[in-house]
Structure formats: C-alpha cells, structure tokens
C-alpha cells in the first residue's frame, strides 16, 4: 500500500518522530494532518537532536516533500521561526518545493494563545494542562466559522475583513472578561508579513496529495499527539482539540479513504503529559526512576511526563479505533532493570471488571496487573528479535497476545539505526 498512516497509541510522546524519520527514507511525501506546534517530534540525527513542532519529520530527507495539511492549525509566526531554526541546522527548506502548506489550514492568532491560557486559569484545579499555544481556541473558531485560513494571509482585503469579523465577536467578550481586546491592524500587519514569507509554500495541498496518490507516490501521514488525546475518542475532556486518530488523516489532508496501512506507535511503558485519567500511573519512586531512565520530559513544554505500566486495555482500544495493522514498540531498552507489569483489565468502583476502555469513570478505574520477569541486559546494540534476552522477548509476545496486534518493529535506542525488525 502506497499510503501509510502513523499514529500515537496513547497520549502522545510515543517516539513517532524517530519512526517517521526512519520510514521517511522510503517515502515521497510526509504529511501532518492535525494538531499544531503543541506537538514535539524528536529526531536524533548524526548531527545531534532536532525537535520539530510543526514541520513534518521528513524535512531531513532531501528527496521528501513535506506537507502541512488542512487539518493542522498553524501559528505563522512560530512557523517562520521554526523554518529559520531548521535552516540553521543546515537543512534546506525551499517553500513550494520541499515544504507545502495547505491554504485551508487554520491560523493560530496571538489572541488564541491568550484565550487558551486565560481558560486554563479559570479551570483551576480542573485544568487540562494544555500547552498554552492556542490550539483549542483556534479549532473552536474554525468550528464557529470565524477562523482565518493560511490562504487569507495572501489576500489583503480578505485578511482585514476576516480579522475584523473575528475581532467583532471576540472583543465583545474579551474586554468584559479582562482580556485585552484584539488590535486588528497590528494583527493584520503581523499576519501579512508572515504571509509574505510563507507565500511560495501556500498551495492547494489536498489537490497535490490526491494527484500524488493517483500517481502511485508513497505518502506517509504523520499523526501528532495520540489516539487517547483525540477530541472525540480520547479521554475527554482531557484531550487536545483535533482528531488525532486515523479519522483525522482523511479530513485533515483531503485524501479519500482509499487503502491505507496504519502503524501504531506504542512505548514499552505508558506516559502522559498534562492532566487527565491514567489508570496505570506510577506515583511512586519507581515512576520517578522510569521518568529519569526514559528522559520523560515534554519536548514542547519541558514538563515532566507522568509514567506508568503498559496498558494493554488502552492499547487494544486505540488499535481497534485507529485500524492499526501493526505496532511499533519504542523504548524497550529503557525497561532494563525494571520489574515488568502489564495492565490487562480495570476494576470499577461497583466491583465489576472490564477489559474495555470506558468513556466515563476511567479516573476511578483500578488496573489489574500481571507480573512478568524483567531483564538486566543492555538492549541498545541488539538488532534481531532472537538476540533479545528471553524475558524481553516474552514481554513483547505478551503485549501482542493481550492487544491482538502484531509488533513488527522494536526500537531499542533514540538513534535511527537502533531498531529491530521482525
Ligand atoms: P493542547 O493540545 O495544548 O490543547 O493540550 C491538551 C492536552 O494535550 C494537554 O494534556 C497536553 O499536554 C496534551 N498534548 C498536546 N500535544 C501533545 C503532544 O504532542 N504530546 C503529548 N501531549 C500533548
């Protein structure tokens, strides 16, 4: 199948950057379909670490066309500075050639960022723990039909009219809410300047992708965040505001639902940044130890990630939802010296047991855990499944058995070549 979609299986940070970088070597197009610069995709290149937030991870491969799809929300000012930073690393970016931006992608404004942080403040102890980058308000304005699209940045009259329309609605409640009103002229100036810089890249990306698919080009759809952060299917309301599961890959690119291979990325243990239910969370010293061993600190906000046991219930749910054909298991090397446990069901407060992810009450679900023997060997130089310690093999096989999804690829280190293919 020429089109592959890569999605995170839990709450993001599964190591998608590395997997996409690896797969992009054999790909013509790499396409982001959702989220914004709340994402942080880490690549470990021969020249060192590179964290991408908005630019697709294929940018490091000279032959790859990278597309920011219509489902992405774009902060144009951030994008300009991310392009500069990537160029400073010696990576060539030619807008219109190896970086295309959908003219339909919605724009994150400075006002969205302020609104995001203001709303989090109001939520108090019920806060979501957003990245504060304006993602939710930008998607909300898209649905409210007052948003701006990247194509507007190239059309001065439309840009001013759209900004005026948006400000009319928002300023009606910004001022009474203690938020500074939007300065339309200042926003127009800033957006037009960013539009000028990005002009050559702003195209009808959906049309380009449909033509590429028809021509048999290899397309890699790069999911951001993870299935459990999906606005509809995730752990609502502790989710992001986009369709992070496979469904978003169609609406967020304009590609039709033709055959697609879906690869799910799951870490060998579970992590979550921000608030929300996490049944297998380790709130003790072991959790702290795992955070250090796996360097589990957010690549966008630097926040410590919450760590816990691998949850086969959640992974099975997401794999079914996303239509996952195979899993990539990342960070297996990190579990060296740790006890190994898998969650295989939840106990609910009324005493019932479930092996399905509930839409409600996940916050009060208690995990049912099984123990497996651990391993003490360093896995980073292992390149074949048979060469893995028997206990590491048994752990992988137990995950396959409980999730029902084959694991074809295992990552045993941050670098490109630290991969086991089965
Ligand atoms: P927002 O996307 O900034 O609105 O944040 C909503 C929730 O999604 C918060 O819990 C964030 O920590 C989480 N989140 C957003 N993007 C990512 C990501 O790329 N990785 C992990 N968590 C994320």
């Amino acid at each position: 199948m020429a089109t592959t979609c890569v999605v995170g299986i839990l709450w993001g940070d599964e190591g998608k950057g590395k997997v996409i970088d690896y797969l992009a070597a054999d790909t013509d197009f790499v396409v982001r379909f959702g989220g914004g610069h709340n994402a942080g995709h880490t690549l470990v290149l021969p020249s060192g670490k590179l964290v991408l937030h908005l630019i697709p991870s294929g940018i490091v491969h000279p032959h790859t066309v990278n597309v920011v799809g219509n489902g992405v929300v774009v902060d144009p000012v951030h994008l300009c500075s991310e392009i500069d930073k990537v160029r400073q690393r010696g990576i060539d970016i030619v807008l219109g050639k190896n970086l295309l931006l959908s003219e339909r992608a919605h724009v994150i404004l400075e006002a969205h960022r302020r609104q995001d942080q203001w709303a989090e403040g109001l939520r108090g102890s019920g806060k979501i723990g957003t990245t504060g980058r304006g993602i939710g308000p930008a998607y909300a304005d898209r649905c409210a039909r007052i948003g701006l699209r990247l194509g507007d940045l190239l059309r001065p009259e439309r840009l001013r009219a759209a900004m005026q329309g948006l400000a009319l609605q928002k300023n009606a409640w910004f001022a009474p809410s203690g938020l500074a009103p939007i300065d339309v002229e200042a926003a127009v100036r800033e957006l037009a300047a960013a539009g000028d810089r990005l002009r050559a890249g702003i195209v009808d990306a959906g049309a380009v992708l449909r033509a590429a698919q028809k021509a048999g080009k290899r397309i890699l759809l790069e999911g951001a965040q993870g299935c459990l952060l999906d606005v509809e299917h995730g752990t609502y309301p502790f989710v992001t505001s986009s369709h992070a599961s496979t469904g978003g890959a169609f609406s967020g690119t304009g590609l039709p639902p033709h055959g697609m291979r879906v690869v799910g990325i799951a870490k060998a243990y579970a992590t979550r940044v921000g608030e929300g239910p996490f049944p297998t969370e380790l709130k003790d010293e072991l959790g702290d130890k795992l955070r250090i061993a796996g360097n589990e600190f957010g690549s966008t906000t630097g926040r410590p990630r919450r760590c816990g046991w691998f949850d086969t219930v959640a992974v099975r749910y997401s794999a079914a939802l996303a239509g996952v054909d195979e899993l990539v298991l990342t960070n297996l090397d990190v579990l060296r010296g740790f006890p190994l446990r898998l969650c295989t069901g939840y106990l609910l407060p009324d005493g019932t047991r479930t092996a399905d992810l509930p839409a409600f009450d996940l916050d009060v679900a208690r995990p049912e855990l099984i123990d497996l023997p651990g391993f003490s060997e360093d896995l980073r130089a292992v390149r074949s499944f048979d060469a893995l310690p028997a206990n590491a093999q048994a752990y992988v096989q137990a995950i396959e058995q409980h999730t029902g999804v084959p694991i074809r690829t295992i990552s045993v280190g941050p670098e490109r070549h630290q991969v086991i293919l089965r």
Side-chain angles (χ1 to χ4, degrees):
M1 249 177 258
T3 306
T4 300
C5 180
V6 174
V7 289
I9 283 293
L10 296 186
W11 294 284
D13 307 316
E14 291 91 356
K16 290 183 292 295
K18 170 179 166 169
V19 176
I20 305 236
D21 175 41
Y22 179 80
L23 293 173
D26 292 323
T27 299
D28 302 304
F29 288 79
V30 179
V31 190
R32 274 281 303 271
F33 60 81
H37 63 311
N38 50 351
H41 293 172
T42 305
L43 314 183
V44 180
L45 309 174
S47 62
K49 203 160 123 173
L50 176 69
V51 183
L52 297 168
H53 298 284
L54 203 48
I55 297 173
S57 302
I59 200 72
V60 297
H61 296 282
H63 65 277
T64 305
V65 180
N66 295 273
V67 182
V68 174
N70 57 274
V72 177
V73 280
V74 177
D75 178 332
V77 177
H78 167 88
L79 179 57
C80 289
S81 77
E82 190 170 323
I83 290 173
D84 290 341
K85 280 192 194 131
V86 172
R87 281 182 177 147
Q88 276 160 18
R89 292 287 303 269
I91 295 163
D92 202 20
I93 298 185
V94 183
L95 282 157
K97 189 162 170 267
N98 69 342
L99 182 60
L100 308 181
L101 314 167
S102 170
E103 59 188 358
R104 290 181 169 86
H106 273 249
V107 172
I108 301 181
L109 303 168
E110 180 271 338
H112 290 136
R113 238 179 357 255
R114 286 193 285 124
Q115 188 185 330
D116 190 1
Q117 290 159 16
W118 166 84
E120 276 288 87
L122 284 187
R123 287 185 195 112
S125 62
K127 71 175 193 248
I128 294 168
T130 74
T131 57
R133 299 202 160 185
I135 307 296
Y139 278 116
D141 283 354
R142 182 176 82 170
C143 286
R145 292 155 296 177
I146 57 169
L148 275 70
R149 298 184 290 172
L150 275 183
D152 288 319
L153 271 46
L154 309 181
R155 297 169 170 83
E157 291 314 312
R158 278 184 184 276
L159 173 58
R160 178 162 287 100
M163 246 346 271
Q164 281 165 341
L166 176 133
L168 186 69
Q169 290 209 17
K170 282 183 135 36
N171 284 347
W173 65 267
F174 263 35
S177 308
L179 283 160
I182 297 168
D183 179 340
V184 172
E185 287 311 315
V188 166
R189 269 196 307 277
E190 186 178 64
L191 293 171
D196 268 346
R197 276 206 62 192
L198 300 172
R199 181 175 301 273
I202 300 176
V203 298
D204 184 348
V208 173
L209 289 172
R210 287 188 293 276
Q213 195 179 54
K214 221 169 181 178
K217 298 285 183 197
R218 297 158 303 176
I219 300 175
L220 188 59
L221 302 169
E222 173 178 17
Q225 291 84 40
C227 293
L228 293 189
L229 285 176
D230 186 285
V231 66
E232 293 195 65
H233 299 284
T235 50
Y236 192 89
F238 299 97
V239 291
T240 189
S241 299
S242 60
H243 302 280
S245 185
T246 310
F250 301 110
S251 60
T253 59
L255 280 169
H258 293 156
M260 186 188 277
R261 180 169 75 112
V262 182
V263 178
I265 317 295
K267 205 153 25 187
Y269 46 92
T271 62
R272 172 161 211 173
V273 204
E275 309 302 318
F278 181 1
T280 64
E281 182 172 10
L282 280 160
K283 294 183 181 165
D284 54 11
E285 270 174 29
L286 199 56
D288 294 340
K289 215 175 128 194
L290 196 47
R291 182 174 312 110
I292 303 292
N295 191 23
E296 296 294 351
F297 296 89
S299 45
T300 296
T301 58
R303 288 178 290 178
R305 296 178 185 142
R306 301 152 65 192
C307 298
W309 304 116
F310 191 99
D311 186 340
T312 67
V313 179
V315 172
R316 196 172 52 246
Y317 166 83
S318 292
L321 169 72
V324 167
D325 296 300
E326 61 179 276
L327 282 176
V328 176
L329 193 70
T330 60
N331 289 22
L332 184 61
D333 55 301
V334 172
L335 291 178
R336 172 189 191 186
F338 280 88
L340 301 182
R341 292 183 128 184
L342 292 178
C343 168
T344 56
Y346 302 136
L347 274 175
L348 298 173
D350 64 4
T352 54
R353 177 187 183 274
T354 177
D356 293 317
L357 190 101
F360 295 84
D361 298 334
L362 193 60
D363 51 336
V364 288
R366 284 197 296 118
E368 285 188 327
L369 299 164
I370 56 165
D371 285 305
L372 286 111
F375 56 89
S376 55
E377 295 86 343
D378 184 350
L379 306 188
R380 285 173 299 175
V382 178
R383 293 291 173 272
S384 78
F385 187 74
D386 294 339
L388 280 172
N391 288 352
Q393 291 188 22
Y395 183 65
V396 174
Q397 284 160 342
I399 291 174
E400 289 185 312
Q401 188 200 329
H402 286 281
T403 60
V405 190
I407 296 172
R408 301 249 161 78
T409 310
I410 299 166
S411 172
V412 287
E415 288 175 38
R416 257 183 203 166
H417 63 277
Q418 291 176 313
V419 170
I420 296 172
L421 300 177
R422 289 171 82 194

